[in-house]
Amino acid sequence: MQTGFPTIGAVTRFLFNAAGVLAQKDDSLGLLLSEKDKKSLQTRLKRLTDEDGELEENLNDVLSLLMGCVDKISPSPRVTAAIAESIWDLLVQYSDLVRNEGTYLGVKDTLGYVLKSKLVGRAVVSSQKNVLLFNLKDLGLSTPEDEYWFLPDIHDDCLVWPLEKAMRWAYSVADTSQTHFHFPGKNVKSENFQLSQNLESAENWLHARSLPNWGVLHTNLMESFAAMEACSDSQHQRQLPESTQAQVVLVVFIARAATYITQEIDKHYGRDVLLQLLDQFKEQSQVLRSDVHAHMSSTIEKLIGEAATAKGSPPQEVIDCIWRDSVPQYWWDVGRFFAQAGEETQSFLLENHGEPLTQEQLTYIERRYGPYFFTCLKHGLDISESYPMPQGFMELVVEGESLLNRNSSLNQVRVYKESVEKSSWSTALSWLAEWNEGSLHMRNGDQKLAHKHLGNAFGLGKYCAGDRQKPLVQGYLEVCAKVQSWKDFKKAFAWARYLQIPVRLWDSEWEESMDNVKTLYTMYQHMEFA
């Protein structure tokens, strides 16, 4: 069983599957990708999967292709920017976790833990923060009245998926029925194969029998808009303005992505976990809006009011600029406040010597730091308690790190490796055993064997070693240069830069050109590090 976080290649493919733009069938409107872009995407995705070349550059190129697809259906560049920023927020959270959080769990369980402990909270913050950051409110976009239209509802033990909610909203916007939205004027004498197929497809989607790719869904919508406009029966003829059509398309696009994500959670983790995550999202969303963003919005609107008083009504560009400048600064202050809250909470836990926070401590934290932090803290503590550290695991970690920090013998390293292999965490800690063996050979001057074992440790530890991989990656870079393995050096360097792991002698201001990386490689060949 593979241990650790999902790979960056798997995460990126998931994003494309969620957007529904990876499949290339039924793209008659050219919404997905050109043939050139298809080839570029497949190449970049393969490189991300193989973790070959410049990881960050490949990731940025792939995301640019994704956002190009989004931009084609977006009613405003500000909407595109808000979606892009939300995706980037989640990817930054993901890379932070890989860089800092070790795990002993398999990929599925690690992802389940991260969904509960980190990603739901990040999704809550990003969705609200970026609406404010890009001032989407002033665009006057129409969305369903249901505050959580992008989340599933449960009725009589059955889930109503976001796509169904969005489609039914589209019918209400057009003031027509499902039948006459997709096949306007349909009667017993009607014959139109394409519209009949569109209606049948919509029926399947609304009853969750299948989930279409975005090209199919968008084509259905646009053909339905055109058919309603061209309908000769005045009772069912509808002419929706292009702006209204664009807003319907946006809502359906988001709903389709949300349906894919929540159905995947339901399939892999079960209904109870999905409902738990939905409740968590709603609770954190409500308290964030009332505790943090209501005050933030009020403060920024006062700034806009002051600008209006001083110079008359400011143009929209100035208003948007005030939001873009103010929201990050406000969140910076919130982040520092929460960091202080986290430190004080940690000091309480240390004082309690492993015991839970007392009611007095909890009451103090809520009063001092507010409902939003307190709600997130409660969720975090509940989740941590449901994932207790397995007995014997930390003892093996401590033993392995102790061996690294002293001049251990080959016999000691081999005994430790055997202990890891016999334990329940052989896949979770094999990187630490390999690191010990590689470090031993490095100390003894056998660079070839050091390269072999440190390379094994690097590959095994990427997605489960957490912050322990920082010195591991540095040691691997050094031995790659010593044995003149340019290919391995490039891979390790790309990984370090992607995770923002500091690299000795590398200036963060330098351009990440191949010439500069080659220069660093040459410097490492001629230097000895303590």
Side-chain angles (χ1 to χ4, degrees):
M1 179 184 69
Q2 184 182 352
T3 299
F5 292 91
T7 66
I8 183 59
V11 169
T12 308
R13 283 189 178 274
F14 182 85
L15 287 174
F16 273 86
N17 287 333
V21 298
L22 202 53
Q24 298 301 320
K25 295 180 180 180
D26 300 297
D27 187 25
S28 58
L29 300 180
L31 276 175
L32 301 182
L33 301 169
S34 66
E35 287 301 319
K36 180 181 177 182
D37 285 343
K38 290 178 195 176
K39 292 178 182 177
S40 175
L41 174 61
Q42 293 302 332
T43 300
R44 298 289 182 181
L45 284 176
K46 186 177 188 308
R47 286 178 180 171
L48 282 174
T49 300
D50 296 341
E51 295 178 5
D52 186 23
E54 297 295 334
L55 278 179
E56 196 164 8
E57 180 183 335
N58 287 330
L59 179 60
N60 288 337
D61 287 345
V62 164
L63 291 178
S64 293
L65 289 172
L66 175 59
M67 295 319 301
C69 295
V70 173
D71 194 50
K72 290 178 181 179
I73 58 94
S74 173
S76 166
R78 280 151 60 186
V79 172
T80 305
I83 294 173
E85 191 71 18
S86 297
I87 291 173
W88 189 248
D89 283 348
L90 288 168
L91 288 173
V92 168
Q93 174 84 82
Y94 163 80
S95 63
D96 284 347
L97 288 167
V98 173
R99 179 176 64 251
N100 295 313
E101 301 282 340
T103 177
Y104 56 86
L105 299 170
V107 174
K108 178 182 174 181
D109 289 335
T110 296
L111 182 56
Y113 171 76
V114 168
L115 277 168
K116 298 172 188 175
S117 63
K118 305 290 184 181
L119 295 186
V120 166
R122 173 54 60 183
V124 169
V125 170
S126 294
S127 60
Q128 291 191 28
K129 181 195 73 175
N130 292 322
V131 166
L132 296 173
L133 178 65
F134 296 100
N135 192 23
L136 300 191
K137 175 176 65 70
D138 281 4
L139 291 175
L141 300 176
S142 295
T143 57
E145 290 184 3
D146 176 9
E147 181 180 0
Y148 299 109
W149 58 266
F150 49 87
L151 297 179
D153 287 336
I154 186 162
H155 296 298
D156 300 326
D157 295 326
C158 294
L159 282 180
V160 179
W161 299 101
L163 181 57
E164 178 183 348
K165 293 161 71 173
M167 295 293 286
R168 295 198 185 283
W169 173 76
Y171 305 150
S172 69
V173 168
D175 191 24
T176 191
S177 66
Q178 176 186 330
T179 298
H180 294 292
F181 183 94
H182 297 284
F183 195 161
K186 184 180 187 304
N187 56 50
V188 292
K189 297 180 180 179
S190 301
E191 289 187 11
N192 187 312
F193 177 76
Q194 186 57 55
L195 296 184
S196 181
Q197 284 290 100
N198 285 350
L199 177 58
E200 182 180 344
S201 295
E203 183 70 14
N204 287 332
W205 303 336
L206 263 67
H207 289 86
R209 298 185 189 116
S210 63
L211 185 66
N213 70 50
W214 176 240
V216 171
L217 182 50
H218 185 270
T219 298
N220 189 314
L221 288 174
M222 300 311 292
E223 288 179 350
S224 298
F225 292 146
M228 284 190 289
E229 184 173 349
C231 182
S232 58
D233 185 343
S234 60
Q235 184 179 354
H236 301 295
Q237 194 271 345
R238 301 285 188 276
Q239 187 171 355
L240 299 182
E242 286 188 7
S243 60
T244 301
Q245 293 182 28
Q247 290 170 54
V248 168
V249 166
L250 174 66
V251 166
V252 172
F253 173 80
I254 294 172
R256 187 222 162 272
T259 299
Y260 177 85
I261 294 168
T262 49
Q263 285 184 349
E264 285 293 293
I265 294 172
D266 189 50
K267 180 171 76 173
H268 294 290
Y269 296 97
R271 187 62 47 86
D272 288 344
V273 170
L274 175 60
L275 295 179
Q276 175 191 344
L277 294 175
L278 294 175
D279 288 342
Q280 182 181 335
F281 185 100
K282 291 176 182 178
E283 183 180 3
Q284 290 192 14
S285 181
Q286 289 165 0
V287 73
L288 175 64
R289 182 176 290 106
S290 61
D291 183 37
V292 178
H293 282 153
H295 182 265
M296 183 187 300
S297 297
S298 175
T299 302
I300 295 171
E301 284 166 358
K302 284 181 182 177
L303 291 174
I304 295 170
E306 291 169 3
T309 302
K311 299 181 179 179
S313 181
Q316 189 63 47
E317 296 80 19
V318 172
I319 294 173
D320 294 342
C321 186
I322 291 173
W323 283 99
R324 282 198 303 273
D325 290 344
S326 301
V327 170
Q329 182 57 53
Y330 196 101
W331 260 104
W332 177 260
D333 294 337
V334 170
R336 287 190 301 175
F337 186 62
F338 282 4
Q340 178 185 336
E343 290 173 3
E344 190 157 12
T345 301
Q346 189 62 37
S347 70
F348 283 147
L349 290 170
L350 290 174
E351 287 175 13
N352 295 353
H353 302 291
E355 293 299 314
L357 294 172
T358 66
Q359 187 57 52
E360 182 181 356
Q361 289 168 335
L362 289 169
T363 301
Y364 167 81
I365 290 169
E366 183 174 19
R367 288 177 179 171
R368 174 74 177 84
Y369 296 106
Y372 176 62
F373 177 80
F374 183 71
T375 300
C376 294
L377 174 64
K378 281 198 307 177
H379 285 150
L381 293 174
D382 290 345
I383 292 161
S384 295
E385 287 176 6
S386 64
Y387 287 88
M389 185 70 69
Q391 187 175 3
F393 177 76
M394 278 310 300
E395 287 81 354
L396 273 177
V397 172
V398 170
E399 182 183 352
E401 292 185 334
S402 175
L403 286 174
L404 279 173
N405 295 324
R406 65 175 190 261
N407 290 325
S408 49
S409 66
L410 180 59
N411 182 60
Q412 288 174 312
V413 168
R414 293 281 171 83
V415 167
Y416 175 73
K417 190 172 187 178
E418 186 177 345
S419 297
V420 168
E421 289 172 349
K422 289 179 178 178
S423 75
S424 302
W425 308 287
S426 57
T427 57
L429 289 177
S430 54
W431 61 271
L432 186 51
E434 289 289 334
W435 189 8
N436 265 288
E437 190 156 359
S439 296
L440 174 71
H441 292 304
M442 195 68 173
R443 290 194 300 270
N444 292 341
D446 192 334
Q447 294 170 347
K448 187 175 180 180
L449 275 176
H451 175 253
K452 173 187 173 183
H453 289 285
L454 289 178
N456 290 341
F458 170 69
L460 293 165
K462 275 184 174 181
Y463 292 100
C464 63
D467 61 357
R468 270 97 166 167
Q469 66 182 302
K470 296 174 185 177
L472 168 59
V473 170
Q474 183 61 53
Y476 185 49
L477 281 168
E478 294 166 17
V479 77
C480 287
K482 297 302 183 188
V483 298
Q484 299 184 9
S485 178
W486 166 241
K487 181 179 178 181
D488 289 343
F489 185 92
K490 279 195 305 179
K491 277 195 171 186
F493 179 82
W495 181 252
R497 297 303 298 157
Y498 165 64
L499 286 190
Q500 298 182 357
I501 294 173
V503 174
R504 282 180 186 170
L505 306 183
W506 179 263
D507 191 323
S508 60
E509 299 299 318
W510 289 353
E511 178 188 355
E512 290 185 34
S513 66
M514 195 57 64
D515 285 344
N516 283 342
V517 178
K518 195 86 174 181
T519 298
L520 183 72
Y521 172 68
T522 303
M523 291 167 63
Y524 270 44
Q525 288 177 321
H526 297 95
M527 293 192 70
E528 296 295 334
F529 297 100

